[in-house]
Amino acid sequence: RAETRSRRCSFGIACLAQLPTLERSNLLKFVGDMCESKISSHRLLGVELIGEMLCQGWFWKDHENLSNTMETPFNSSFGEKASDADGGDVDVSSATATPSQSAPRTPSATLLTALQGRLTDKSPTVRTRAALSLSEVARKASLAQEEGRNLDGTVIASTPTNLTEANIPSRALTVALCKIGTSLVDALRHRASTDDRASVRKSAVVAWFQMLHLAHRENKEDFKVSG
């Protein structure tokens, strides 16, 4: 099942890359709705898709325009409540479930908030997948920055005059992660230390480590260590 889901996710990402910006923004909304579905398999696919989308160059090329025009399906309580197939509410810790309410509601912040919210999902499989997606996003952002590459592995040109931090996808992703870094590190620490499933704890530890590695490289002292 995981292999089938991964193939479907890859196919969806490949299709998204060929669509116009407006159509992609509409599908981003749809993926957001999937993360709030009553059916756990829908939420599972949603978090896997979000993890892949955040590492796509086209997402960040669209990002500036989407930040100004995209209407997201997420309200201020996104990630705080969802239901699975048996009708049970998602287990939530209010101290760690959502990022700072002052975080800008850009498309990247919205999608990262979605992943963070699924860390408290009632389904352990969804919690594990959310932590794995966050780990992979943070790892790819750090690796691309360290190697001076884009998220797709191509070398970042150093000479263009229009090259800014905002239009380098790997840098933009790093900035987005740092903006919710404090709450995200706290949420991952909480999962790593208290979750009743070993698979979730293991995945959360890996994602936590990746975020601390990113914090060290970015000199983000405010979320290197959690209380």
Side-chain angles (χ1 to χ4, degrees):
R1 294 174 61 182
E3 184 180 350
T4 300
R5 188 178 63 252
S6 179
R7 287 200 301 267
R8 290 175 179 173
C9 182
S10 298
F11 178 73
I13 294 297
C15 290
L16 280 169
Q18 306 303 316
L19 294 176
T21 299
L22 180 59
E23 294 300 322
R24 281 201 287 250
S25 70
N26 289 332
L27 284 169
L28 290 178
K29 298 176 190 179
F30 176 73
V31 173
D33 287 338
M34 289 177 64
C35 290
E36 292 186 311
S37 172
K38 293 181 179 181
I39 303 173
S40 61
S41 60
H42 293 178
R43 302 197 302 275
L44 183 61
L45 181 58
V47 296
E48 188 162 350
L49 280 167
I50 287 175
E52 290 292 333
M53 287 190 296
L54 285 168
C55 296
Q56 301 300 311
W58 54 256
F59 175 83
W60 297 100
K61 289 178 182 177
D62 294 347
H63 191 266
E64 185 175 354
N65 290 332
L66 290 176
S67 297
N68 297 325
T69 63
M70 177 183 172
E71 295 181 4
T72 71
F74 313 111
N75 55 33
S76 60
S77 63
F78 181 82
E80 293 184 5
K81 184 176 181 180
S83 300
D84 63 5
D86 64 10
D89 290 341
V90 173
D91 178 27
V92 175
S93 169
S94 60
T96 59
T98 56
S100 169
Q101 294 300 315
S102 62
R105 304 303 297 173
T106 61
S108 59
T110 299
L111 295 183
L112 286 169
T113 298
L115 287 182
Q116 182 173 334
R118 293 307 97 213
L119 291 173
T120 57
D121 198 281
K122 185 173 182 179
S123 166
T125 306
V126 175
R127 296 198 301 273
T128 300
R129 182 65 253 182
L132 287 172
S133 291
L134 285 165
S135 174
E136 190 65 5
V137 167
R139 185 190 70 81
K140 286 184 177 180
S142 294
L143 186 63
Q145 285 286 283
E146 289 169 359
E147 296 183 351
R149 295 180 178 274
N150 291 303
L151 293 171
D152 61 1
T154 58
V155 178
I156 297 174
S158 58
T159 54
T161 56
N162 63 344
L163 192 63
T164 65
E165 182 176 282
N167 57 31
I168 300 175
S170 57
R171 184 60 196 162
L173 176 55
T174 299
V175 170
L177 285 167
C178 289
K179 284 181 179 178
I180 67 164
T182 300
S183 63
L184 184 52
V185 165
D186 284 345
L188 290 167
R189 178 186 60 82
H190 182 74
R191 280 299 113 198
S193 60
T194 67
D195 201 278
D196 60 352
R197 296 298 182 95
S199 60
V200 179
R201 295 196 301 272
K202 180 179 178 180
S203 300
V205 166
V206 174
W208 186 18
F209 173 80
Q210 292 293 345
M211 284 299 297
L212 293 179
H213 176 69
L214 183 145
H216 176 74
R217 186 172 52 77
E218 295 293 313
N219 293 316
K220 293 291 182 180
E221 300 288 344
D222 55 331
F223 65 88
K224 279 186 185 180
V225 179
S226 303

